[in-house]
Amino acid sequence: GPPPSEAETGLPGIPPRNEAHLPRLSFNTENSALVVGAVLAIAGNLVISVSLNVQKYVHNRNEARPPDERRPFTSQPLWWMGLLGTVVGEVGNFLAFGFAGADIVAPLGAVAVVSNAVIA
């Protein structure tokens, strides 16, 4: 049909935008897959951020020891917990792409940046 008039858009002199190509994200049952994807992406990125900080903590703690008391980080259980958390978070991110497109999931990677800034 014809584009909406100025009266319909409420924006004098500004033509209406064609937003038909943009995904509609709402919290109704019709788009529940998008919500699941977004939640998986956010949770996965939070878990990754925490896990990487746990691993960094192990490295820093090890470096603070006298050189003769340092152990390989792979012999420390907390480091392995951090690695496992990173894998779990990445699996969550991978699964998120099955529910929502890259246009939803990829920008949510910023959650990891923000949460890392808070945690670190």
Side-chain angles (χ1 to χ4, degrees), residues 3 16 19 21 27 29-30 33-34 39 43 45 48-50 56 64 75 83 89 92 98-99 109 114-117:
E19 296 180 351
H21 67 283
F27 295 96
T29 55
E30 293 173 12
L34 291 178
V39 169
N45 283 309
I48 291 166
S49 184
V50 169
K56 181 66 176 171
S75 69
L83 181 64
F99 292 95
V114 173
S115 61
N116 194 38

Side-chain angles (χ1 to χ4, degrees), residues 66-115:
D68 58 329
E69 292 180 21
R70 292 180 185 162
R71 302 183 299 159
F73 57 85
T74 55
S75 69
Q76 301 179 45
L78 190 57
W79 185 88
W80 285 104
M81 293 297 293
L83 181 64
L84 178 66
T86 300
V87 170
V88 168
E90 291 293 355
V91 167
N93 256 344
F94 179 75
L95 292 174
F97 283 102
F99 292 95
D103 57 333
I104 301 290
V105 176
L108 292 174
V111 169
V113 175
V114 173
S115 61

